[in-house]
Amino acid sequence: MTSIERTAYPRFKRLITARELHVFFTPSEEERAWAGESADSDEHQLLLLLALKSYQRMGCFPKAHDVPDQVMEFVRRAAELPEDTLPVYGSERTAKSQRSMVRQRCGMRYDGPGARALAEETIRVEAASKNNPADLINIALEKPVEAGLEIPRFSTQDAMASTVRARVNEEILAGIRERMTEDERARLLGLVDVVGLDGRTLFNALKHNPGRATWSTSSASRAT
């Protein structure tokens, strides 16, 4: 499994500065009015604003327990809600309804199969020249956003990168094998055969460090 910290997948930072809070998580007067009209309680109003500002910042909805307390408190104070207001959903139906409202407001669509198909195709193309899962995940993040789609969850992206990369690598190896002659295949398989009394194989010679390049060795290499 790829560590999310090694990718550009959107997530809350461990330390969020005061400037970042003000720039990215301050709800505007219009957003506060919209949330007040759309929510039926202080708790749901806070949740709606947290979902909106998080979505605007990251392009996806974080789980409620992943929202840092400092973000929750900042948004609560900015919305001038009571100090004892906590972000708790009354039902999953309310959570789904709020996510739909936020997507509509941000001009984004939820299309899980479509977003996954775009990401998978991107990974398949890029895996022909890149093998680092983190790089593949980063590139795959761009296509759904460009299409106005909500990005898949990180676990989905990670599993997809691993599966598609393995499949592409198998195709590359199969292509190499098909281009090899029988003699070349035999020589390749023979690299692991022990030769001599020291128990070493021909593969050990491939792993031998050639050392630093010098004018003499470089000239000899060009001559050969």
Side-chain angles (χ1 to χ4, degrees):
M1 180 176 178
T2 307
S3 172
I4 191 172
E5 285 77 14
R6 297 178 58 195
T7 73
Y9 196 89
R11 64 192 182 280
F12 286 107
K13 297 194 302 184
R14 294 182 179 178
L15 178 62
I16 303 176
T17 66
R19 180 181 180 279
E20 289 172 325
L21 286 172
H22 282 281
V23 172
F24 300 114
F25 295 99
T26 300
S28 66
E29 290 294 330
E30 196 274 333
E31 289 171 340
R32 289 173 54 187
W34 167 77
E37 295 171 357
S38 304
D40 57 5
S41 67
D42 290 341
E43 289 76 15
H44 288 169
Q45 184 176 343
L46 176 57
L47 281 164
L48 185 55
L49 286 173
L50 284 172
L52 174 65
K53 304 312 293 184
S54 297
Y55 198 84
Q56 289 173 339
R57 176 61 174 151
M58 301 187 294
C60 59
F61 294 105
K63 295 179 180 179
H65 62 266
D66 288 335
V67 179
D69 289 341
Q70 65 177 135
V71 173
M72 187 273 291
E73 288 293 338
F74 179 83
V75 173
R76 182 189 59 74
R77 290 195 300 270
E80 299 180 351
L81 293 169
E83 291 186 6
D84 59 351
T85 304
L86 296 175
V88 179
Y89 279 116
S91 66
E92 179 57 27
R93 181 179 179 181
T94 300
K96 290 182 178 179
S97 176
Q98 287 199 352
R99 288 195 290 268
S100 295
M101 286 189 289
V102 170
R103 291 187 187 106
Q104 183 177 6
R105 183 177 179 86
C106 294
M108 301 291 283
R109 294 183 296 114
Y110 177 73
D111 179 4
R116 288 192 295 272
L118 276 175
E120 182 173 355
E121 176 60 19
T122 301
I123 291 174
R124 188 190 67 79
V125 172
E126 296 296 331
S129 58
K130 297 178 176 62
N131 199 49
N132 189 322
D135 293 337
L136 297 176
I137 292 173
N138 291 342
I139 296 172
L141 288 173
E142 301 173 3
K143 296 301 181 181
V145 175
E146 291 174 358
L149 300 176
E150 187 173 317
I151 61 177
R153 291 189 178 278
F154 177 76
S155 58
T156 300
Q157 298 264 45
D158 185 34
M160 186 185 302
S162 178
T163 300
V164 175
R165 182 186 61 159
R167 188 186 309 141
V168 170
N169 286 346
E170 289 175 359
E171 293 172 355
I172 293 173
L173 292 175
I176 294 173
R177 185 179 186 281
E178 290 176 1
R179 293 194 296 272
M180 295 176 68
T181 65
E182 289 297 329
D183 182 58
E184 289 171 336
R185 294 175 189 170
R187 289 170 58 193
L188 181 62
L189 293 175
L191 290 177
V192 295
D193 294 339
V194 175
V195 292
L197 300 178
D198 58 358
R200 297 171 67 83
T201 68
L202 293 176
F203 184 66
N204 290 111
L206 293 179
K207 297 188 296 182
H208 180 68
N209 190 337
R212 295 182 58 183
T214 64
W215 283 109
S216 58
T217 56
S218 297
S219 300
S221 298
R222 288 196 295 270
T224 56

